Amino acid sequence: MSLRYVYFKKIILRSKIQLFYILSFKFYFFMLPTGHFAAGYLTSTFTLSSLINLYPAVNDPKFLALGLFASVAPDLDEFYAFYVAKGFWFKKKDKAIIHRNYLSHAPLLHLFVGLASFVVGLVANSSDLQLYAILYIVGTWTHFFFDSFFYGVKWLWPFSNNLYAFRKPGEDMAKIEASGFFSYWIGFLKLYVRDLVFYLEALVIVVAVSAYLY
């Protein structure tokens, strides 16, 4: 067995472990990406269908794609949060980092970006940019709405740092101590199925799949 092959296998194993930790970190602060994506699909398609008289180009799939991306984009901050909390390449860190405290989870900031883009679209007479701006706001705010079912979001930042949620603002899901892959997921599912968010997400996914198929 060559040294190059052994090195390659180590890289693959290390990548799998890193992916597991990223997923574990993600599921520690739900809602899951599947739920955000499904919710983004529903709100984006509804928005596009409502604007067809004003923007005939709404059927172009690029606008739906932007809405879908915007519905999960705020959670891209988790890669940085994971780096700070756990570190990459087996650095020994174990900090408690809440990614929803970052500016990427500030709804008013995203609203400002969307509105500014819409104004630029009006000035430039670009209907595409106007639609992008609308779908960006719809997608990101759909994300924040569902994030507000658990832990909460800083809806009034920069005017307030308070977290606002429909229930349990600022409370995390109980930490799962299991280190093994299967034991972690069993522990996660036992906790997750007891929470309202699990059933809300399942319902949203079912509705989104039904809307897509029919």
Side-chain angles (χ1 to χ4, degrees), residues 149-150 167 192-202:
F149 280 92
F150 195 94
R167 62 192 186 93
Y192 193 34
V193 296
R194 299 174 188 171
D195 196 274
L196 173 65
V197 180
F198 172 82
Y199 300 98
L200 173 64
E201 179 173 357

Side-chain angles (χ1 to χ4, degrees), residues 22-33 36 71-85 95-107 110 143-144 146-148 150-154 163 170-173:
I22 290 174
L23 291 174
S24 301
F25 187 76
K26 169 66 191 173
F27 292 137
Y28 183 70
F29 306 110
F30 46 28
M31 184 176 196
L32 306 185
H36 283 306
S71 68
V72 296
D75 277 350
L76 293 177
D77 59 11
E78 292 204 35
F79 289 98
Y80 175 74
F82 174 78
Y83 170 76
V84 174
K95 298 180 181 179
I97 302 296
I98 309 298
H99 75 108
R100 293 189 189 178
N101 290 330
Y102 293 151
L103 295 184
S104 46
H105 269 75
H110 289 275
H143 183 105
F144 299 135
F146 281 94
D147 272 358
S148 298
F150 195 94
Y151 190 79
V153 173
K154 294 182 178 181
L163 291 164
E171 293 186 20
D172 297 334
M173 180 180 175

Side-chain angles (χ1 to χ4, degrees), residues 65-148:
L66 189 281
L68 293 175
F69 173 75
S71 68
V72 296
D75 277 350
L76 293 177
D77 59 11
E78 292 204 35
F79 289 98
Y80 175 74
F82 174 78
Y83 170 76
V84 174
K86 298 291 184 181
F88 287 102
W89 308 113
F90 302 110
K91 293 179 181 179
K92 293 183 178 180
K93 298 181 180 180
D94 192 20
K95 298 180 181 179
I97 302 296
I98 309 298
H99 75 108
R100 293 189 189 178
N101 290 330
Y102 293 151
L103 295 184
S104 46
H105 269 75
L108 292 182
L109 177 61
H110 289 275
L111 178 63
F112 174 79
V113 171
L115 290 177
S117 300
F118 185 82
V119 171
V120 172
L122 287 176
V123 173
N125 196 27
S126 172
S127 59
D128 279 9
L129 183 54
Q130 294 170 37
L131 269 176
Y132 281 137
I134 293 172
L135 270 296
Y136 177 80
I137 294 174
V138 170
T140 53
W141 274 51
T142 297
H143 183 105
F144 299 135
F145 173 79
F146 281 94
D147 272 358
S148 298

Side-chain angles (χ1 to χ4, degrees), residues 157-168:
W157 187 92
F159 307 105
S160 172
N161 282 320
N162 293 334
L163 291 164
Y164 296 92
F166 295 114
R167 62 192 186 93
K168 301 180 181 180

